């Protein structure tokens, strides 16, 4: 039920952004910056959430100092990019996608190629329950520090993800795993586990999975945002789900 509500909210927001597009074009042509700015400020919080999540992941992996960048730096740049280049968009339905592509390009120009935990990546299905618990304690402590670090946030929802078991176990024959885990785990525990695993995966896997699960973009749309083939996007999503599934089997279903 919750997933249905989230999907509906995303569709409604996509419609709002598409409807705002001709008004933005008109206000720019007429030099009405006040109307243009008002409309953009209603759209950008959704993009800011994505920027924040990628920044927190990059900073926590040591790509750059904690206080060197914040989301507002990128949103300010994006604001300028939108005003100067909005005429690149030919269809209103493509505007939301174009915004994410511009934001992702700004981020990619700053975030260095990550070094991920290769040992964890290879041995995700071999950890003991005490090792999982220790890993979560460390992750929870680090995550709390990350939230404090991103002190420019005035709404904690920017840092929340709505990941559920349905994002991990997507095949019909996997429904029994969802049913079993639902009986054992509450919603908070499930989300925290998924976030912990994603945190340890390469950032390209994180962001592609997030665009698919959190923002409901399809393969073609994510391919446009990331500038890579949809075959590679599909593989990244499936590889991420595979790691997540293995982690649930190792920790809760073994």
């Amino acid at each position: 039920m919750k997933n249905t509500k989230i999907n509906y909210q995303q569709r409604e927001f996509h419609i709002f952004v598409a409807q705002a597009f001709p008004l933005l074009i008109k206000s720019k042509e007429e030099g009405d910056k006040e109307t243009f700015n008002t409309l953009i400020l209603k759209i950008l919080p959704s993009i800011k959430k994505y920027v924040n999540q990628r920044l927190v992941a990059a900073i926590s992996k040591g790509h750059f100092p904690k206080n060197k960048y914040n989301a507002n730096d990128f949103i300010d740049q994006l604001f300028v990019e939108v005003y100067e280049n909005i005429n690149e968009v030919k269809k209103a339905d493509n505007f939301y996608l174009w915004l994410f592509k511009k934001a992702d390009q700004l981020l990619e120009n700053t975030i260095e190629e990550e070094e991920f935990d290769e040992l964890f990546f290879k041995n995700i299905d071999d950890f003991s329950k005490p090792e999982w618990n220790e890993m979560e304690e460390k992750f929870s402590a680090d995550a709390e520090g990350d939230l404090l670090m991103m002190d420019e946030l005035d709404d904690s929802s920017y840092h929340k993800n709505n990941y559920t078991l349905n994002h991990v176990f997507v095949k019909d024959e996997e429904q029994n795993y969802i049913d079993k885990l639902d009986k054992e785990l509450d919603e908070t525990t499930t989300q925290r586990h998924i976030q912990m695993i994603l945190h340890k995966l390469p950032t390209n896997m994180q962001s592609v999975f997030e665009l698919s699960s959190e923002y409901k973009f399809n393969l073609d749309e994510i391919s446009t945002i990331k500038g890579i083939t949809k075959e590679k996007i599909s593989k990244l999503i499936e590889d991420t789900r595979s790691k997540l599934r293995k982690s649930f089997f190792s920790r809760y279903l073994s």
Side-chain angles (χ1 to χ4, degrees), residues 15 19 30 57 106 195 224 254:
I15 292 170
Q19 290 173 340
E30 295 176 351
L106 290 172
Q195 288 167 357
T224 298
S254 59

Side-chain angles (χ1 to χ4, degrees), residues 97-132:
L97 184 67
W98 181 83
L99 286 170
F100 271 83
K101 182 176 181 179
K102 284 293 182 183
D104 210 67
Q105 287 171 345
L106 290 172
L107 287 161
E108 289 299 326
N109 288 338
T110 303
I111 296 174
E112 300 173 7
E113 189 67 27
E114 87 283 354
E115 294 179 5
F116 68 98
D117 189 339
E118 188 174 0
L119 184 65
F120 173 84
F121 193 80
K122 289 181 177 179
N123 298 288
I124 197 167
D125 48 357
D126 292 329
F127 293 106
S128 65
K129 293 198 185 311
E131 287 174 318
W132 278 117

Side-chain angles (χ1 to χ4, degrees), residues 11-252:
R11 286 196 300 272
E12 286 289 292
F13 192 71
H14 281 226
I15 292 170
F16 165 73
V17 174
Q19 290 173 340
F21 177 72
L23 299 176
L24 286 164
I25 293 292
K26 183 172 183 286
S27 59
K28 182 184 177 183
E29 289 174 348
E30 295 176 351
D32 183 0
K33 287 192 175 182
E34 183 177 353
T35 299
F36 188 95
N37 293 348
T38 300
L39 284 168
I40 285 294
L41 288 173
K42 290 180 180 179
I43 295 170
L44 289 184
S46 178
I47 316 297
K48 185 177 180 181
K49 178 178 179 179
Y50 175 67
V51 170
N52 263 308
Q53 289 162 338
R54 290 211 58 195
L55 271 183
V56 169
I59 292 170
S60 66
K61 289 176 181 291
H63 293 170
F64 40 74
K66 290 183 178 180
N67 297 318
K68 187 173 182 180
Y69 300 99
N70 65 47
N72 289 330
D73 296 329
F74 291 92
I75 294 302
D76 289 346
Q77 291 180 63
L78 182 60
F79 200 100
V80 174
E81 286 280 330
V82 172
Y83 189 80
E84 291 182 350
N85 301 298
I86 192 171
N87 293 101
E88 291 178 359
V89 184
K90 302 306 179 187
K91 292 175 58 180
D93 288 345
N94 294 338
F95 182 47
Y96 192 52
L97 184 67
W98 181 83
L99 286 170
F100 271 83
K101 182 176 181 179
K102 284 293 182 183
D104 210 67
Q105 287 171 345
L106 290 172
L107 287 161
E108 289 299 326
N109 288 338
T110 303
I111 296 174
E112 300 173 7
E113 189 67 27
E114 87 283 354
E115 294 179 5
F116 68 98
D117 189 339
E118 188 174 0
L119 184 65
F120 173 84
F121 193 80
K122 289 181 177 179
N123 298 288
I124 197 167
D125 48 357
D126 292 329
F127 293 106
S128 65
K129 293 198 185 311
E131 287 174 318
W132 278 117
N133 293 337
E134 181 182 351
M135 196 182 305
E136 182 167 320
E137 285 180 17
K138 184 178 186 309
F139 171 75
S140 297
D142 290 345
E144 184 178 350
D146 289 340
L147 280 174
L148 292 173
M149 168 192 72
M150 302 300 281
D151 58 3
E152 83 280 4
L153 297 185
D154 53 11
D155 181 351
S156 62
S157 66
Y158 279 134
H159 194 70
K160 291 179 181 177
N161 299 92
N162 295 301
Y163 298 128
T164 69
L165 293 169
N166 297 95
H167 294 136
V168 179
F169 300 96
V170 296
K171 299 175 183 176
D172 291 341
E173 61 267 26
E174 295 176 332
Q175 181 61 43
N176 60 316
Y177 301 134
I178 294 177
D179 295 339
K180 185 173 181 180
L181 288 166
D182 271 338
K183 291 178 182 177
E184 185 174 345
L185 308 177
D186 59 29
E187 185 178 289
T188 300
T189 302
T190 298
Q191 288 192 10
R192 189 166 60 241
H193 178 80
I194 293 174
Q195 288 167 357
M196 178 179 71
I197 303 305
L198 292 174
H199 172 76
K200 286 184 167 289
L201 297 180
T203 56
N204 61 339
M205 294 176 76
Q206 290 178 41
S207 63
V208 165
F209 184 78
E210 182 181 336
L211 288 167
S212 171
S213 301
E214 179 86 358
Y215 296 95
K216 313 303 176 191
F217 288 118
N218 61 36
L219 293 181
D220 285 325
E221 291 169 335
I222 300 173
S223 175
T224 298
I225 292 170
K226 305 297 287 184
I228 55 180
T229 65
K230 66 179 183 180
E231 288 76 20
K232 185 169 183 180
I233 296 295
S234 179
K235 186 175 188 311
L236 284 169
I237 292 172
E238 184 48 46
D239 286 349
T240 305
R241 286 193 179 124
S242 175
K243 294 300 179 184
L244 287 165
R245 283 194 290 268
K246 286 181 180 180
S247 73
F248 276 106
F249 275 108
S250 172
R251 189 176 187 185
Y252 298 114

